[in-house]
Amino acid sequence: MSARRYYQDAYTTTFTSSIVEKQIEGDRVALILEQTYFYPASGGQPADRGIVNGVPVLDVSVREADGAVLHWLAVEWAGAMVEDTAVTATVDWDRRFDHMQQHTGQHILSQAFIRVADAETVGFHLSDNSLTIDLDTPDLTRAQLAAAEQLANHIIWENRPIQVRFVSRQAAQTLPIRKIPDANGEELRLIEIENFDLTACGGTHVAQTGSVGLIKLLKADKRGEKARIEFVCGRRAWQDYGQKHHLVAALMAEFTTGAPQLLDAIRHLREETKETQRLLKKEQLERQRLAAEHLLLTGSRVGRFTVITHVVEPQTGTNLKALALQLTQHAGVIVLLGMAGAKAQLLFACAADARDGMQQLDMRALLAMAFGLLGNGGGGGSPTFAQGGGPSADEEAIRGALAAAQTAVTQLLRGGVQ
């Protein structure tokens, strides 16, 4: 079992140690060292990364059988270390310090929520790009969120010392510990933020609260009976501020206004956009109404029927279904519509009365015939309304398919009983 030096010292990153065991598993090899400063993934905190004798450490974990810390390397490096009995290792400090800032910030924020909202932390997750805690209440007000954030940052700015100590589980029962874990043996490692928070934890932490730098809440979501709080600390908070400052600066330049006026400018633009869209829709409906009237007047007359064949231009924004429904409100109307493009569209429909005495009139059958002429594609529907999409087709091909459908309809109507 490896001696875990990070328990007492999270700041040492380069060390030497003896190899006590090597374990090969699949495409990885694990080194077990006599002592290590590498933190293995546990308790919601990711594992450290770094190098051992110049070889990258891909992961660090704990062997359940005996608690040994496994330093995982790519298996191709196993041969290079066959004769090694001692190594020099270096922990990736940037990653380690980031985790120290985030994890310590979590302790501070969890205690802040207890004091402000009597909300206990029941879940914690830290990854390379997110940091969250789950609280045992879904009902947090905006004022409580702001107060917890403010209290947490005051604790950071006071630069309170953080101490690590070990106590027996029995002794822990007499201490004001935020949460005593159910497992982890008879000895507990305690992280104490002076006169603020005391909790059992095996993670890596900074030595003073000031090293956390800053805590910023990003989002609070209800998750059933819990609230999930997403936040950032330290370097991540600085990076988040930088990204948002860049965005705000760009918006200020775009709207030629100051930051306090940005929200009003965006709201005004949104209202203008809504009004423009409303007017555009009104204009499109009017154009469609006029187009429908024109098509009704120019359609081909066959007895009591009006056969309308029309190729819709994509740039007009015309909705084939809406146009067809509008036209087929008129008695005896049969509509054959098409649109060219990367995916050709066909829509055939007829008024409800058009099939009276003309049961052979079937829009589905006409659609299948038209797509057969185009070479591919298909759709479905009913005898009175059918639509579908096909392969790429230009306007000439669409006109040809519609003309064939119109010829078939005309022959059917002329041969029927009028």
Side-chain angles (χ1 to χ4, degrees):
M1 181 173 176
S2 309
R4 304 188 189 188
R5 300 302 184 195
Y6 60 83
Y7 273 157
Q8 293 83 13
D9 178 8
Y11 284 84
T12 292
T13 56
T14 299
F15 63 97
T16 59
S17 182
S18 300
I19 299 175
V20 297
E21 186 183 339
K22 296 174 184 175
Q23 173 183 318
I24 296 178
E25 183 180 289
D27 60 351
R28 302 186 303 172
V29 58
L31 300 181
I32 299 172
L33 307 179
E34 183 181 19
Q35 64 169 352
T36 186
Y37 286 86
F38 278 86
Y39 179 82
S42 62
Q45 179 177 330
D48 283 329
R49 297 290 185 269
I51 57 174
V52 173
N53 276 9
V55 177
V57 176
L58 305 178
D59 195 11
V60 186
S61 61
V62 175
R63 189 165 61 190
E64 291 186 8
D66 57 3
V69 177
L70 305 174
H71 305 74
W72 293 98
L73 319 175
V75 74
E76 58 261 28
W77 294 101
M81 292 191 172
V82 169
E83 302 301 327
D84 292 340
T85 58
V87 295
T88 298
T90 300
V91 176
D92 181 339
W93 171 246
D94 285 344
R95 178 183 173 89
R96 159 67 68 82
F97 187 64
D98 172 61
H99 292 170
M100 290 164 64
Q101 285 187 315
Q102 309 311 312
H103 202 157
T104 307
Q106 177 262 310
H107 282 217
I108 297 171
L109 188 61
S110 289
Q111 181 61 239
F113 272 114
I114 290 174
R115 300 196 179 199
V116 166
D118 194 27
E120 296 275 355
T121 294
V122 293
F124 162 59
H125 178 73
L126 167 63
S127 71
D128 291 337
N129 49 32
S130 70
L131 173 62
T132 62
I133 55 173
D134 292 332
L135 303 176
D136 63 356
T137 175
D139 300 316
L140 291 170
T141 67
R142 186 175 298 180
Q144 288 174 320
L145 293 169
E149 181 183 71
Q150 183 179 45
L151 174 57
N153 280 298
H154 275 298
I155 298 300
I156 291 171
W157 300 333
E158 289 172 1
N159 200 27
R160 299 191 184 194
I162 300 173
Q163 295 181 340
V164 179
R165 58 190 168 112
F166 292 82
V167 299
S168 67
R169 184 173 291 274
Q170 183 177 1
Q173 302 296 330
T174 66
L175 299 173
I177 298 175
R178 173 156 48 90
K179 183 177 181 180
I180 298 177
D182 295 330
N184 294 340
E186 290 305 313
E187 187 176 58
L188 299 180
R189 178 176 182 256
L190 303 185
I191 306 299
E192 182 174 11
I193 300 172
E194 186 178 77
N195 297 324
F196 186 69
D197 186 62
L198 179 65
T199 192
C201 180
T204 56
H205 301 276
V206 297
Q208 301 88 24
T209 59
S211 295
V212 175
L214 178 72
I215 290 177
K216 182 60 188 172
L217 303 192
L218 301 181
K219 188 166 59 173
D221 291 327
K222 286 186 178 181
R223 298 293 179 98
E225 295 302 312
K226 301 180 180 64
R228 173 159 295 179
I229 310 298
E230 182 179 353
F231 61 106
V232 283
C233 305
R235 182 185 300 145
R236 296 191 190 188
W238 169 64
Q239 291 171 340
D240 180 74
Y241 173 79
Q243 292 170 356
K244 290 173 180 174
H245 175 74
H246 177 76
L247 176 60
V248 169
L251 289 172
M252 288 167 57
E254 187 70 25
F255 285 96
T256 61
T257 188
Q261 293 78 42
L262 265 181
L263 185 57
D264 286 340
I266 292 171
R267 285 172 175 166
H268 180 68
L269 177 62
R270 184 174 61 183
E271 291 304 315
E272 285 186 339
T273 302
K274 285 182 179 179
E275 179 63 13
T276 300
Q277 290 173 339
R278 186 187 69 80
L279 292 174
L280 179 60
K281 185 175 182 180
K282 182 179 179 182
E283 180 184 346
Q284 288 175 336
L285 289 174
E286 178 61 16
R287 289 174 61 186
Q288 183 170 296
R289 185 187 67 80
L290 293 173
E293 288 184 358
H294 176 73
L295 291 171
L296 286 169
L297 292 172
T298 57
S300 177
R301 301 285 181 175
V302 183
R304 67 182 177 89
F305 300 98
T306 301
V307 182
I308 296 172
T309 304
H310 181 59
V311 178
V312 176
E313 296 180 357
Q315 61 268 25
T316 63
T318 301
N319 183 291
L320 268 65
K321 182 177 180 180
L323 179 59
L325 292 174
Q326 187 172 357
L327 290 168
T328 53
Q329 290 178 3
H330 299 270
V333 169
I334 300 169
V335 180
L336 308 173
L337 301 177
M339 184 182 292
K343 185 176 182 181
Q345 297 180 53
L346 296 179
L347 189 153
F348 297 169
C350 65
D353 71 317
R355 298 188 75 241
D356 292 345
M358 293 293 297
Q359 296 303 308
Q360 308 97 315
L361 187 64
D362 189 336
M363 299 298 107
R364 290 176 301 187
L366 284 172
L367 188 75
M369 180 201 72
F371 274 124
L373 293 174
L374 289 176
N376 203 343
S382 69
T384 58
F385 188 98
Q387 63 181 333
S392 174
D394 57 21
E395 190 171 317
E396 183 179 354
I398 295 295
R399 288 190 186 280
L402 294 184
Q406 181 178 6
T407 298
V409 168
T410 302
Q411 290 176 348
L412 181 63
L413 295 179
R414 285 176 177 168
V417 179
Q418 305 301 308

